[in-house]
């Protein structure tokens, strides 16, 4: 049975535990957009330009300069040197008041701390990012202290910049105290429409959670928005694009006896969805306004 049913509401009309819909919210409610990354500005110039003209609807945009590394185990970062095309794209976004996040790959918690901090410093020095997305972040209790050590250092380096943990699943609850936002869903529409929310998330405001969903048909956009609101997420990214190669790592266990899979590029987020203008018009200012 679908996730959104009358059983989500008590007899008194209040949401049941874990069901976060706010009274009186209809349509797209208070949703805003988070863009998890685009192809390099040379490959997607129209997309980067469009983002700078829809800043009122954007919570953040992720910058990933280098894409997959040569060894295919690290999913990108700031590159080897400042990229003038990325500098220009980031400058337009920041001038429009958009929060830009640097992409850091935690490799399921196995990436050396010094490497992460080095990439973070390059992002800050070269592109003056406003915070970071920590991709492939572990979600288990055992890794929490390591992640907290990293986020504490990033807060100092970025002067309390915005931190987002890209776990893609509901993690151990303690992670909610380690960053400003958690991506608690990252996957395909066929999974999202049947997904369930962890009850502990009801203790936090919707601004603490984000959902990234690919393969959403245009005819199901309203349903996707309702699921996000009912599950208590205020930042979303819906796209009709689908990946041609699956990106591994979100749900990988990271015990010492297990190897982190090699990174495989996810092409679903290289471009904006075909219905981008429609989404933006529903949430805020249209790209042509």
């Amino acid at each position: 049975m679908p996730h959104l049913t009358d059983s989500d509401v008590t007899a008194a009309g209040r949401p049941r535990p874990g069901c976060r819909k706010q009274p009186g919210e209809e349509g797209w409610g208070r949703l805003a957009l988070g863009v998890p990354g685009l192809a390099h500005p040379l490959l997607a110039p129209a997309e980067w330009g469009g983002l700078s003209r829809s800043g009122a609807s954007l919570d953040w945009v992720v910058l990933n300069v280098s894409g997959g590394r040569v060894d295919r185990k690290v999913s990108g970062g700031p590159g080897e040197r400042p990229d003038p095309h990325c500098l220009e794209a980031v400058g337009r976004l920041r001038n429009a008041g958009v929060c830009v996040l640097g992409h850091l790959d935690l490799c399921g918690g196995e990436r050396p701390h010094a490497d992460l901090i080095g990439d973070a410093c390059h992002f800050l020095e070269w592109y003056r990012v406003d915070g970071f997305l920590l991709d492939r972040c572990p979600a288990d209790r055992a890794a929490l202290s390591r992640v907290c050590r990293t986020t504490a250092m990033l807060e100092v380096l970025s002067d309390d910049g915005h931190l987002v943990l890209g776990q893609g699943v509901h993690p151990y609850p303690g992670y909610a105290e380690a960053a400003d936002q958690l991506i608690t869903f990252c996957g395909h529409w066929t999974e999202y429409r049947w997904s369930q929310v962890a009850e502990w998330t009801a203790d936090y405001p919707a601004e603490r959670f984000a959902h990234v969903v690919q393969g959403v048909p245009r005819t199901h956009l309203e349903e996707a928005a309702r699921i996000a609101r009912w599950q208590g997420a205020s930042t979303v990214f819906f796209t009709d694009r689908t990946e041609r190669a699956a990106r591994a790592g979100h749900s990988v266990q990271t015990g010492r006896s297990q190897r982190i899979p090699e990174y495989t590029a996810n092409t679903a987020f290289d471009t904006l969805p075909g219905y981008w203008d429609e989404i933006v018009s529903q949430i805020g200012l249209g790209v042509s306004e």
Side-chain angles (χ1 to χ4, degrees):
M1 81 191 286
H3 176 65
L4 296 178
T5 66
D6 291 339
S7 63
D8 287 320
V9 182
T10 66
R14 297 181 182 276
R16 295 190 184 278
C19 181
R20 302 282 302 287
K21 182 177 183 291
Q22 298 300 314
E25 285 188 357
E26 300 296 339
W28 289 75
R30 298 184 180 90
L31 297 180
L33 296 168
V35 181
L38 291 171
H40 190 278
L42 280 178
L43 300 177
E47 285 81 356
W48 283 97
L51 289 179
S52 65
R53 295 191 297 274
S54 59
S57 304
L58 296 170
D59 267 355
W60 38 260
V61 174
V62 175
L63 174 68
N64 186 0
V65 179
S66 59
R69 298 289 179 82
V70 174
D71 61 9
R72 307 305 294 172
K73 291 182 172 64
V74 179
S75 61
E80 300 300 323
R81 60 187 60 84
D83 185 307
H85 305 287
C86 291
L87 280 169
E88 181 180 358
V90 170
R92 287 197 301 266
L93 288 175
R94 298 189 81 247
N95 289 338
V98 177
C99 175
V100 179
L101 306 179
H103 180 279
L104 299 175
D105 184 6
L106 268 63
C107 295
E110 296 296 304
R111 185 113 181 266
H113 182 74
D115 289 356
L116 286 168
I117 298 305
D119 276 1
C121 289
H122 286 150
F123 267 122
L124 291 166
E125 179 183 355
W126 297 342
Y127 304 105
R128 301 183 65 184
V129 295
D130 304 292
F132 300 97
L133 167 68
L134 281 63
D135 198 12
R136 295 203 291 177
C137 180
D140 60 299
R141 183 175 184 176
L144 177 59
S145 60
R146 297 199 305 273
V147 173
C148 286
R149 177 191 175 201
T150 299
T151 57
M153 178 63 74
L154 293 176
E155 285 179 351
V156 173
L157 291 174
S158 63
D159 193 21
D160 291 327
H162 191 74
L163 301 181
V164 179
L165 300 185
Q167 290 150 326
V169 297
H170 286 95
Y172 176 73
Y175 283 93
E177 304 300 328
D180 298 290
Q181 272 187 317
L182 309 179
I183 298 179
T184 52
F185 185 91
C186 182
H188 199 276
W189 165 244
T190 55
E191 300 169 344
Y192 188 59
R193 67 185 310 187
W194 299 97
S195 63
Q196 299 288 331
V197 64
E199 290 190 7
W200 64 262
T201 63
D203 295 331
Y204 295 89
E207 290 74 17
R208 302 296 298 277
F209 303 102
H211 293 167
V212 177
V213 191
Q214 62 175 285
V216 181
R218 181 188 298 270
T219 54
H220 289 281
L221 277 175
E222 291 288 342
E223 182 183 356
R226 288 198 302 271
I227 293 174
R229 288 190 296 103
W230 277 77
Q231 292 197 7
S234 70
T235 303
V236 298
F237 185 80
F238 302 141
T239 180
D240 51 350
R241 317 296 189 192
T242 55
E243 57 189 351
R244 290 193 296 271
R247 180 173 54 178
H250 277 300
S251 60
V252 174
Q253 296 183 8
T254 56
R256 293 188 178 182
S257 62
Q258 295 179 312
R259 181 178 66 87
I260 301 299
E262 292 185 354
Y263 172 82
T264 308
N266 185 340
T267 60
F269 310 127
D270 281 355
T271 62
L272 294 174
Y275 41 62
W276 175 250
D277 285 8
E278 182 176 340
I279 291 179
V280 172
S281 66
Q282 291 285 347
I283 294 178
L285 296 177
V287 295
S288 62
E289 295 181 27

